Amino acid sequence: MPLTERSIIHVDMDAFYASVEQFDHPELRGLPVIVGGLGPRGVVSTCSYEARRFGVRSAMPTAQARRLCPVGVYLWPRMTRYEEVSAQVFEVFHEVTPLVEGLSLDEAFLDVGASLRLLGSIESIGRRIKEAIRERTGLVASVGMGPNKLLAKLAGEVAKPDGFRRIAAASAAQELAPLPVGRLWTVGKVTEQALHRLGIHTMGELAACDTARLAGALGRHASALQALARGEDARAVTPEQRELSVGAEHTFDVDLAELALAESWLLRHCERIAARARERGLAGRTVTVKLREPPFVTHTRQTQLAAPSAAAPAIYGVARSLLQAWWKAQRHPRLRLLGVSLSGFGERRQEDMFDVSKSHKEADALQDRINERFGSGSLVRAGVLRTRKQD
Ligand SMILES: [Mg+2]
């Protein structure tokens, strides 16, 4: 047995956002459900398997999805709700092992090596996780198992949806051989095309290719890539580390004397930190607003959210109250600096520590692009409009 052989489980919820919507709204079950940005430049975040039958895919422009699937049900994402469900799912993981590496709200690696003696085989642990998630959330998770991260993830992916599959070290090379090279998560579009130009389409062909020839096209990563194509992967599951806070602040060139303007800045900060928290899979409970009067007197105001969140509207809601309360208490309110931070990530922590999951980085980026393009723009506009009305 190679030294690096571990007992790794990869869990990924099937069509997560869309499944939550179908669970919460039973009338949507069996229908093509598309969750994403619904504005003119919106993109699909997640779609149900019913929608996939129409050719709809995540990261596709929503307009294109509407053409492919005009009968679909199109919904904006409800991040706060998805975070709630995610917390339940991660609770299940932590009951099995402390070695949980979250990749996103609905995906994680677990190293269960130390739990085998107590809980049984890797399959019985995997089955237990799948069933507990189903019982507590009503949702379906795909579970992949293997001697390392690469094989566990691939096992789960090839078995999706409702997947349950183990790839053992002994059969890894054989099982990987027919898979397209694009399935390796380190292989992006450019590398994939370079490989295709060399006549390499499958992992088997990649593994068997002459390393020197490969290095000519791909450079020094060639042999590492070949090791992955053979199913070799030495990376450990790295449990998330506590991140203390995520913040944003701005020092104004000209002191700010209008509440409406201060609120617009605050909203922009809140959206930025919400996006950053989500990108790291964090949900925080404590919101702190930092206010500096010219020249250097700094005040902080802090409050707790009802539940940990990484949603801009929730964070902004409490941050704005803090700002307004401070503002009203001043005789001549003036701001040189305004900042806001989110902390208190104790309840559920995830962190994308390695660039292991390209698709998930893309999914997170996608969520934030949606916000950038729509949520953000429309929120800012709504916020500014609201404050103007009050003038
Ligand atoms: Mg998923």
Side-chain angles (χ1 to χ4, degrees):
M1 187 170 96
L3 272 177
T4 51
E5 187 161 330
R6 308 171 204 267
S7 297
I8 308 299
I9 297 182
H10 175 262
V11 186
D12 185 20
M13 304 295 290
D14 291 347
F16 184 50
Y17 299 174
S19 301
V20 173
E21 297 301 341
Q22 287 178 321
F23 181 79
D24 287 353
H25 306 101
E27 69 277 14
L28 298 180
R29 291 178 199 171
L31 298 180
V33 173
I34 296 99
V35 180
L38 305 186
R41 289 183 302 155
V43 278
V44 174
S45 190
T46 318
C47 58
S48 69
Y49 283 92
E50 293 86 352
R52 288 177 203 199
R53 283 202 281 275
F54 288 83
V56 179
R57 296 286 179 271
S58 37
M60 173 184 279
T62 305
Q64 188 185 347
R66 284 189 197 275
R67 280 194 298 274
L68 290 168
C69 185
V71 297
V73 179
Y74 290 81
L75 303 168
W76 284 99
R78 293 184 298 145
M79 290 313 297
T80 314
R81 175 68 184 130
Y82 309 148
E83 282 157 12
E84 252 172 50
V85 180
S86 170
Q88 290 178 295
V89 170
F90 273 72
E91 222 172 83
V92 172
F93 299 160
H94 283 281
E95 287 167 9
V96 169
T97 173
L99 297 178
V100 177
E101 180 181 333
L103 302 175
S104 71
L105 284 181
D106 74 309
E107 182 181 0
F109 283 115
L110 286 68
D111 186 329
V112 300
S115 316
L116 295 171
R117 280 251 292 284
L118 194 66
L119 301 175
S121 68
I122 189 166
E123 283 97 342
S124 63
I125 297 176
R127 183 62 67 189
R128 178 188 172 126
I129 291 170
K130 199 169 160 65
E131 279 165 10
I133 290 175
R134 177 117 219 188
E135 274 164 29
R136 295 187 209 174
T137 68
L139 302 177
V140 177
S142 281
V143 171
M145 295 149 287
N148 60 40
K149 285 174 150 184
L150 170 75
L151 293 172
K153 187 172 161 77
L154 280 173
E157 276 177 5
V158 296
K160 251 178 182 303
D162 199 8
F164 186 82
R165 180 151 176 198
R166 176 180 171 214
I167 297 181
S171 58
Q174 192 192 334
E175 294 206 44
L176 258 52
L179 297 179
V181 287
R183 290 302 279 268
L184 285 176
W185 60 68
T186 46
V187 173
K189 273 277 162 270
V190 174
T191 311
E192 190 179 9
Q193 282 162 7
L195 289 169
H196 287 176
R197 280 195 295 274
L198 294 174
I200 297 169
H201 294 269
T202 66
M203 294 200 203
E205 290 163 352
L206 175 57
C209 175
D210 175 61
T211 308
R213 178 169 169 252
L214 198 61
L218 297 180
R220 60 197 170 84
H221 299 298
S223 57
L225 205 54
Q226 284 188 299
L228 289 172
R230 286 191 301 267
E232 294 166 17
D233 178 12
R235 287 165 304 174
V237 169
T238 310
E240 46 277 349
Q241 284 161 12
R242 184 177 290 252
E243 187 134 356
L244 292 179
S245 77
V246 177
E249 60 179 46
H250 185 81
T251 304
F252 305 109
D253 296 331
V254 178
D255 296 336
L256 215 146
E258 275 173 280
L259 180 58
L261 259 181
E263 286 175 336
S264 298
W265 273 101
L266 191 70
L267 179 55
R268 199 182 294 186
H269 290 336
C270 289
E271 287 172 339
R272 195 167 300 164
I273 64 173
R276 223 180 301 150
R278 257 201 313 282
E279 183 188 300
R280 297 172 202 182
L282 297 166
R285 192 184 272 277
T286 308
V287 176
T288 306
V289 174
K290 181 171 163 186
L291 310 125
R292 180 171 300 153
E293 286 181 272
F296 291 118
V297 188
T298 305
H299 310 268
T300 58
R301 295 287 183 272
Q302 193 174 78
T303 191
Q304 305 281 313
L305 293 165
S309 176
I315 299 166
Y316 178 62
V318 300
R320 186 183 184 209
S321 310
L322 293 173
L323 168 67
Q324 288 174 341
W326 180 86
W327 197 273
K328 280 181 194 136
Q330 311 300 309
R331 275 186 55 191
H332 300 291
R334 287 277 183 285
L335 282 178
R336 171 79 35 108
L337 175 149
L338 177 62
V340 61
S341 64
L342 181 67
S343 58
F345 300 127
E347 306 237 328
R348 179 182 56 73
R349 308 179 300 273
Q350 299 179 39
E351 195 175 359
D352 221 346
M353 297 198 60
F354 291 102
D355 194 11
V356 290
S357 174
K358 219 172 164 285
S359 63
H360 268 286
K361 285 236 154 139
E362 279 163 8
D364 288 340
L366 178 69
Q367 181 57 47
D368 291 328
R369 275 206 305 282
I370 292 171
N371 291 346
E372 253 169 51
R373 290 181 182 179
F374 302 102
S376 175
S378 46
L379 266 176
V380 169
R381 280 193 296 279
V384 169
L385 283 177
R386 204 165 43 240
T387 51
R388 282 201 185 131
K389 243 187 236 165
Q390 288 166 357
D391 285 347

